[in-house]
């Protein structure tokens, strides 16, 4: 159906019935100006504008009123509609069998993309992720060999660009990991609480540029230690617990002073959550959250990360403070202690090999549960894709079984995925549990 509008050149009336809108104006042009030269324009005495408000696929109106339409149906003269679709034909040779007497057929809820999306239990959005960013003192971005596509970012240059890209797709939380010059590393890791060190400077820069950005920090001595351990190493190789906690408290306070939103002790020293909470509160940082690395297992999956920060232990290993991979119930001991000491978030690391622990903590604690897809998991997926052993980008309605969604379902109901493709070089992400 079209609307015909008669328009005079000097008086343009209000016009209705163009897609349901009211139009006014259509002021005639009497002069056309091109390169500062005016040309007279002669218009006809009237003009006709024809517009259609018919939508694609719409049926031509019969002009009948509602009562007339109802009367036609009552009289047995309903309007025509498409015929019943024919029953699809099975391939030749398909056996003819009686329908199974099933009250429930779960496949009914999987029969179309719309239904599958409607009943998807675990969903992710960019807001559920924290993006790890590796930073260094240089201005150039340096590739990390063991993590294809990942870089150490110049803290004043590449970092800002990367955060901008992350925010553009809805990721507004980052966690910082510094590569510290060897000349600043000491056995006691004093550079960790230097208020003008790399991490505090970076926090201040990011907060100045993006005030609403949520910044997480790593609380541990390994990037700052000349021994490459998370704590102070005694001459006999023992990692000193309480002395290390003393240093970690100063580190956390320094990060909070710079503007960190969440401090994240990853060191696995006993009692560090309570001590850090007390230190933060004493300095007026009651608003700063603690995400505790509650169940951090000793793992070969950390190798690429240690290359990124140049923080390999110079001697020994980390098994006296990181958890034994064979221990399941011990995660409950750690979680109970951290929760009692004031942790706001509990984290499991690595994620994929410890789905049972994620589920355990989810069932036992009302706190948010975070899971860290670590560098080795990222590199494993990348390597499998390069070698054609897995199809990394293959997905089922946007959800791939190598995507964090596949293991997030074990511990949380998470927000709906936006389907955004993150155009960044670092895709090592931390999904969060949002189940309350």
């Amino acid at each position: 159906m079209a609307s015909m509008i008669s328009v005079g050149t000097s008086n343009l009336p209000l016009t209705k019935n163009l897609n349901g809108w009211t139009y006014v104006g259509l002021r005639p042009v009497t002069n056309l100006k091109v390169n500062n030269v005016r040309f007279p324009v002669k218009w006809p005495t009237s003009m006709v504008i024809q517009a259609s408000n018919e939508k694609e696929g719409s049926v031509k109106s019969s002009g009948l009123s509602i009562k007339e339409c109802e009367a036609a149906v009552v009289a047995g003269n309903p309007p025509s509609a498409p015929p019943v679709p024919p029953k699809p034909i099975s391939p030749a040779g398909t056996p003819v069998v009686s329908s199974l007497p099933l009250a429930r057929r779960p496949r009914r809820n999987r029969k179309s993309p719309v239904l599958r999306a409607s009943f998807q239990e675990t969903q992710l959005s960019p807001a559920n992720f924290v993006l790890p960013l590796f930073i260094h003192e240089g201005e150039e971005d340096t590739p990390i060999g063991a993590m294809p596509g990942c870089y150490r970012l110049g803290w004043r240059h590449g970092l800002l660009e990367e955060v901008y890209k992350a925010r553009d797709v809805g990721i507004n939380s980052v966690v910082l990991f510094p590569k510290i010059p060897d000349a600043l590393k000491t056995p006691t890791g004093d550079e960790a609480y230097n208020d003008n060190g790399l991490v505090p400077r970076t926090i201040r820069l990011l907060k100045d540029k993006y005030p609403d950005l949520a910044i997480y920090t790593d609380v541990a001595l390994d990037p700052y230690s000349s021994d490459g351990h998370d704590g102070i190493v005694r001459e006999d190789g023992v990692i000193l617990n309480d002395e290390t906690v003393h240093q970690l408290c100063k580190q956390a306070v320094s990060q909070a002073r710079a503007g960190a939103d969440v401090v994240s002790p990853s060191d696995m020293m006993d009692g560090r959550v309570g001590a850090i909470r007390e230190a933060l509160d004493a300095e007026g940082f009651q608003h700063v959250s603690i995400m505790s690395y509650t169940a951090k297992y000793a793992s070969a999956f950390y190798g690429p990360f240690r290359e990124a920060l140049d923080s390999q232990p110079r001697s020994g290993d980390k098994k006296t403070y990181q958890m034994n991979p064979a221990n399941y119930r011990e995660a409950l001991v750690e979680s109970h202690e951290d929760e009692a000491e004031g942790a706001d978030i509990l984290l499991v690391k690595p994620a994929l090999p410890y789905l049972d622990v994620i589920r355990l903590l989810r069932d036992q604690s009302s706190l948010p549960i975070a899971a860290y897809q670590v560098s080795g998991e990222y590199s494993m997926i990348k390597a499998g894709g390069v070698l054609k052993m897995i199809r990394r980008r293959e997905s089922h309605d946007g959800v791939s079984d190598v995507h964090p969604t596949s293991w997030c379902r074990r511990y949380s109901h998470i927000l709906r995925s936006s389907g955004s493709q993150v155009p960044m070089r670092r895709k090592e992400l931390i999904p969060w549990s949002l189940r309350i």
Side-chain angles (χ1 to χ4, degrees), residues 168-298:
D168 191 50
V169 295
I171 298 176
N172 203 34
S173 299
V174 300
V175 57
L176 303 174
F177 295 103
K179 196 276 183 187
I180 302 299
D182 288 342
L184 295 177
K185 295 181 180 182
T186 62
T188 54
D190 295 348
E191 180 65 16
Y193 50 87
N194 176 3
D195 285 344
N196 202 35
L198 177 57
V199 170
R201 275 185 276 123
T202 301
I203 296 170
R204 297 197 299 267
L205 177 67
L206 289 175
K207 282 296 185 180
D208 180 69
K209 183 72 173 176
Y210 307 110
D212 63 333
L213 180 70
I215 299 178
Y216 295 68
T217 56
D218 181 47
V219 180
L221 297 187
D222 51 327
Y224 309 90
S225 169
S226 54
D227 295 301
H229 277 280
D230 293 49
I232 300 172
V233 184
R234 203 167 61 188
E235 64 177 356
D236 59 355
V238 171
I239 310 300
L240 299 176
N241 191 92
D242 297 5
E243 294 83 352
T244 295
V245 170
H246 177 79
Q247 300 289 78
L248 299 177
C249 290
K250 292 193 285 185
Q251 181 184 18
V253 168
S254 175
Q255 295 170 349
R257 188 180 295 120
D261 297 286
V262 184
V263 296
S264 311
S266 63
D267 57 287
M268 292 299 289
M269 299 296 121
D270 295 334
R272 91 275 204 208
V273 172
I276 290 173
R277 182 73 275 161
E278 183 178 346
L280 290 172
D281 292 352
E283 294 291 330
F285 299 116
Q286 293 89 347
H287 61 283
V288 175
S289 302
I290 297 176
M291 180 178 73
S292 173
Y293 283 53
T294 294
K296 182 179 180 179
Y297 287 89

Side-chain angles (χ1 to χ4, degrees), residues 169-429:
V169 295
I171 298 176
N172 203 34
S173 299
V174 300
V175 57
L176 303 174
F177 295 103
K179 196 276 183 187
I180 302 299
D182 288 342
L184 295 177
K185 295 181 180 182
T186 62
T188 54
D190 295 348
E191 180 65 16
Y193 50 87
N194 176 3
D195 285 344
N196 202 35
L198 177 57
V199 170
R201 275 185 276 123
T202 301
I203 296 170
R204 297 197 299 267
L205 177 67
L206 289 175
K207 282 296 185 180
D208 180 69
K209 183 72 173 176
Y210 307 110
D212 63 333
L213 180 70
I215 299 178
Y216 295 68
T217 56
D218 181 47
V219 180
L221 297 187
D222 51 327
Y224 309 90
S225 169
S226 54
D227 295 301
H229 277 280
D230 293 49
I232 300 172
V233 184
R234 203 167 61 188
E235 64 177 356
D236 59 355
V238 171
I239 310 300
L240 299 176
N241 191 92
D242 297 5
E243 294 83 352
T244 295
V245 170
H246 177 79
Q247 300 289 78
L248 299 177
C249 290
K250 292 193 285 185
Q251 181 184 18
V253 168
S254 175
Q255 295 170 349
R257 188 180 295 120
D261 297 286
V262 184
V263 296
S264 311
S266 63
D267 57 287
M268 292 299 289
M269 299 296 121
D270 295 334
R272 91 275 204 208
V273 172
I276 290 173
R277 182 73 275 161
E278 183 178 346
L280 290 172
D281 292 352
E283 294 291 330
F285 299 116
Q286 293 89 347
H287 61 283
V288 175
S289 302
I290 297 176
M291 180 178 73
S292 173
Y293 283 53
T294 294
K296 182 179 180 179
Y297 287 89
S299 175
F301 282 110
Y302 303 150
F305 177 91
R306 291 171 183 168
E307 177 187 320
L309 301 188
D310 190 22
S311 60
Q312 289 281 1
R314 302 299 184 263
S315 61
D317 53 43
K318 301 190 176 187
K319 294 180 180 179
T320 64
Y321 48 99
Q322 294 180 354
M323 288 176 58
N324 186 338
N327 289 3
Y328 171 75
R329 296 188 303 274
E330 188 181 2
L332 283 179
V333 175
E334 294 285 356
S335 66
H336 290 160
E337 290 298 320
D338 288 353
E339 193 163 349
E341 292 176 20
D344 300 287
I345 305 158
L346 307 179
L347 180 140
V348 177
K349 181 181 180 181
L352 186 60
Y354 298 100
L355 300 179
D356 53 343
V357 176
I358 294 171
R359 179 74 262 172
L360 175 68
L361 297 192
R362 175 69 288 152
D363 290 340
Q364 296 293 323
S365 175
S366 59
L367 291 179
I369 306 299
Y372 199 153
Q373 185 187 28
V374 301
S375 58
E377 296 175 74
Y378 168 88
S379 296
M380 181 173 62
I381 293 170
K382 294 286 284 187
V386 169
L387 296 174
K388 310 296 184 185
M389 293 180 175
I390 60 173
R391 297 177 63 182
R392 189 172 62 88
R393 295 192 178 277
E394 183 173 288
S395 66
H396 175 71
D397 297 340
V399 178
S400 169
D401 57 4
V402 298
H403 189 275
T405 302
S406 64
W407 44 263
C408 285
R409 65 171 177 265
R410 297 290 299 274
Y411 69 97
S412 137
H413 296 292
I414 305 184
L415 298 178
R416 185 177 184 83
S417 173
S418 70
S420 298
Q421 297 296 318
V422 183
M424 291 181 290
R425 293 169 296 192
R426 278 143 295 279
K427 303 180 183 66
E428 184 188 20
L429 304 175

Side-chain angles (χ1 to χ4, degrees), residues 10-181:
S10 61
N11 182 24
L12 300 182
L14 289 173
T15 305
K16 291 188 177 180
N17 204 25
L18 275 172
N19 297 328
W21 293 88
T22 298
Y23 291 81
V24 66
L26 296 177
R27 189 171 300 168
V29 177
T30 57
N31 286 285
L32 181 64
K33 187 176 182 181
V34 180
N35 293 332
N36 294 320
V37 179
R38 293 186 179 275
F39 298 90
V41 178
K42 186 175 182 181
W43 289 88
T45 57
S46 66
M47 57 182 171
V48 174
I49 299 175
Q50 181 171 340
S52 173
N53 61 1
E54 293 184 7
K55 291 184 170 54
E56 185 178 353
S58 63
V59 178
K60 184 177 181 180
S61 173
S62 64
L64 298 177
S65 67
I66 295 176
K67 288 187 176 180
E68 289 172 329
C69 291
E70 291 178 345
V73 173
V74 172
N77 299 311
S80 61
V84 175
K87 187 175 181 180
I89 300 174
S90 300
T94 299
V96 178
V97 299
S98 299
S99 179
L100 295 174
L102 301 178
R104 291 178 178 166
R105 292 180 179 260
R107 287 184 58 193
R108 281 194 284 257
N109 289 347
R110 307 175 197 144
K111 66 183 179 183
S112 74
V114 172
L115 289 180
R116 289 193 294 272
S118 298
F119 306 126
Q120 183 171 313
E121 298 174 15
T122 302
Q123 304 183 32
L124 290 171
S125 82
N128 298 124
F129 292 98
V130 180
L131 179 66
L133 297 172
F134 305 101
I135 56 176
H136 68 160
E137 294 286 5
E139 296 185 357
E140 300 294 328
D141 297 344
T142 306
I144 301 168
M147 298 176 66
C150 292
Y151 294 75
R152 297 190 193 101
L153 300 169
W155 72 281
R156 291 183 298 174
H157 300 87
L159 173 68
L160 295 178
E161 178 186 350
E162 200 69 14
V163 171
Y164 175 85
K165 292 177 183 178
R167 287 164 59 87
D168 191 50
V169 295
I171 298 176
N172 203 34
S173 299
V174 300
V175 57
L176 303 174
F177 295 103
K179 196 276 183 187
I180 302 299

